[in-house]
Amino acid sequence: MRRISCAVSAAVLMFGVAPATASPPAAGQTISGEWRNVKNTVHIRAYPCGDAVCGTVIWASPKAQASAREKGTERLEGTQIFREFRPTGDGGYTGKVFVPTVGRTFAGKLRVTPDDKLVGKGCVLGGLFCKSTTWLRLN
């Protein structure tokens, strides 16, 4: 249990995770595009991949890269962190999130808010421990 809690805490440090709530997206908003975390240490590109949406790191600060390397992710840039996200029918998406700083994949949810932010939520132990992060659109 302590190990899982540490993993979630590591995700908080890496991606600048902070508590957040997501509202349904406004018409025309899309998950596709380029996003940055609130600390501006990681940029991702979200894009269609088959019948799903994926997201790959396109830029990372030296500190973020070093943190990922310490945990076994040799090259952060180019790493797919959003995997197999599919629409849920309510404006959100569910899929998997790879957290490079812990080298593990967790169940996750994504939603674009009416103010055009991408809110990601990852949970472990069947939803017992959850953390959210907000990504800001770059384009």
Side-chain angles (χ1 to χ4, degrees):
M1 181 76 106
R2 182 168 171 76
R3 178 184 243 174
I4 291 171
S5 179
C6 289
V8 172
S9 296
V12 169
L13 294 174
M14 172 69 177
F15 292 107
V17 180
T21 57
S23 303
Q29 289 179 316
T30 177
I31 195 173
S32 294
E34 294 180 5
W35 305 85
R36 69 171 180 88
N37 63 355
V38 294
K39 291 185 175 183
N40 199 26
T41 58
V42 176
H43 294 187
I44 61 164
R45 178 176 295 122
Y47 53 91
C49 56
D51 65 344
V53 176
C54 297
T56 299
V57 176
I58 57 173
W59 176 86
S61 71
K63 184 177 179 179
Q65 292 177 47
S67 181
R69 259 191 314 275
E70 288 174 11
K71 300 298 180 180
T73 302
E74 288 302 315
R75 188 168 185 271
L76 185 55
E77 292 175 3
T79 297
Q80 188 180 75
I81 59 170
F82 295 162
R83 300 174 178 175
E84 303 172 19
F85 274 88
R86 290 182 172 79
T88 58
D90 62 356
Y93 297 78
T94 59
K96 300 173 186 172
V97 179
F98 174 70
V99 182
T101 55
V102 295
R104 297 210 32 215
T105 302
F106 301 96
K109 295 180 181 183
L110 296 171
R111 180 177 301 277
V112 178
T113 65
D115 59 347
D116 204 30
K117 295 177 182 167
L118 179 64
V119 176
K121 182 177 181 181
C123 298
V124 295
L125 294 177
L128 187 58
F129 294 103
C130 298
K131 294 290 181 175
S132 297
T133 190
T134 300
W135 296 84
L136 307 173
R137 190 180 292 278
L138 291 171
N139 66 354

